[in-house]
Amino acid sequence: MTAAGAAPTAALDCREQTFESGVAGVPVAKLNLPADAGPHITHDLTDLESSWRTNGTWLVSCRIPADRTDLAELLQSTGFQAVETLVTFFQPARPARNLTVDTGLARMNETDTCIDLALSAFTYDRLHRDARVPHAVADAIRAAWVRNDMEGRAAASLVARIDGRIAGFNLCLKTGRTAVIDLIAVAADFRRRGLAGQMIEAAFAHFSDTIDGIRVGTQEDNVASVKLYERAGFALESRQVTLHWIHPEITP
């Protein structure tokens, strides 16, 4: 299924992101480029960009290998702007280390608390850092994302409780035998106490021998997160640049 206004081509795959479209109230899409993409896709890309403008697509995201500067330049010539460099880390499964905080699966009545925590914690994600995306829309998508995870999308919604409060969460997906840290956050007054590291250890403890490893991504310039994952034993797996095309005449 192609995105609104995205005519299918032999070279390009552009699909509507129904979740984000539903929250934003306007079509949002994701463009995937083939591994052999190069100057030969210029015509198809130009046709797609024209169709997005004509048919009311608001935002299109595209993620490419960080070393493909040729693709970045091609996309930028079509109106895309780079918004982040995403670094992905992986660590093989292992026993949890020094897990001392009370952690466990979230309860149903803790969803709203985790949403509030998320809205105070996430500032580096691609939507919040794109000045062309209204802050309220970025917040709404993030809140819906947390709710979606905690109401069944996540394989494990882990929380840390301190003095009866939710101090942090780690929402993990699972693909085959790989767990993926989808969203992790710590409440402002519990930061700088090593709690994020404890939430990582909680994931290793929860999944135990049901996985072969854990994967996680963060922004390259989010120095605190990068150091967190390196200290926890994760190794760099890939670097990708995320770019956004945004229709200048549409307001979500």
Side-chain angles (χ1 to χ4, degrees), residues 14-227:
C14 186
R15 296 175 183 265
E16 182 168 2
Q17 303 300 287
T18 55
F19 174 79
E20 292 178 356
S21 296
V23 178
V26 287
V28 176
K30 182 178 181 181
L31 174 65
N32 296 302
L33 300 184
D36 65 347
H40 66 278
I41 71 169
T42 301
H43 178 74
D44 289 340
L45 187 59
T46 300
D47 284 349
L48 273 177
E49 197 270 346
S50 178
S51 69
W52 298 334
R53 288 182 177 273
T54 300
N55 294 284
T57 299
W58 167 55
L59 184 151
V60 181
S61 64
C62 185
R63 192 164 279 159
I64 60 174
D67 61 355
R68 290 298 305 271
T69 55
D70 58 322
L71 290 184
E73 290 173 0
L74 179 59
L75 289 164
Q76 288 165 345
S77 72
T78 318
F80 281 84
Q81 293 183 22
V83 295
E84 68 173 8
T85 297
L86 182 75
V87 286
T88 302
F89 296 89
F90 181 80
Q91 182 173 181
R94 58 166 174 76
R97 301 169 182 159
N98 302 318
L99 181 56
T100 58
V101 173
D102 176 20
T103 61
L105 292 172
R107 306 176 185 122
M108 291 187 63
N109 64 355
E110 293 173 329
T111 298
D112 288 341
T113 299
C114 288
I115 289 173
D116 290 342
L117 194 163
L119 293 180
S120 70
F122 291 109
T123 57
Y124 279 90
D125 63 276
R126 64 181 179 87
L127 293 175
H128 281 95
R129 70 192 301 149
D130 190 330
R132 299 168 298 167
V133 176
H135 192 82
V137 175
D139 275 355
I141 291 174
R142 180 59 62 192
W145 196 288
V146 173
R147 186 175 299 280
N148 197 33
D149 271 4
M150 296 190 68
E151 292 183 351
R153 178 172 179 262
S157 298
L158 303 168
V159 297
R161 300 182 182 90
I162 298 178
D163 298 330
R165 291 182 52 198
I166 298 294
F169 67 71
N170 184 359
L171 309 182
C172 298
L173 311 179
K174 191 179 179 187
T175 303
R177 287 186 58 84
T178 299
V180 179
I181 295 177
D182 192 37
L183 296 171
I184 187 169
V186 174
D189 51 340
F190 288 102
R191 292 172 193 163
R192 292 177 292 278
R193 300 188 192 181
L195 189 57
Q198 289 282 289
M199 296 308 307
I200 292 172
E201 297 307 319
F204 279 108
H206 175 81
F207 289 107
S208 186
D209 59 1
T210 68
I211 59 169
D212 295 326
I214 296 179
R215 180 169 288 114
V216 64
T218 191
Q219 288 70 30
E220 188 171 59
D221 58 355
N222 188 345
V223 177
S225 289
V226 170
K227 289 183 177 179

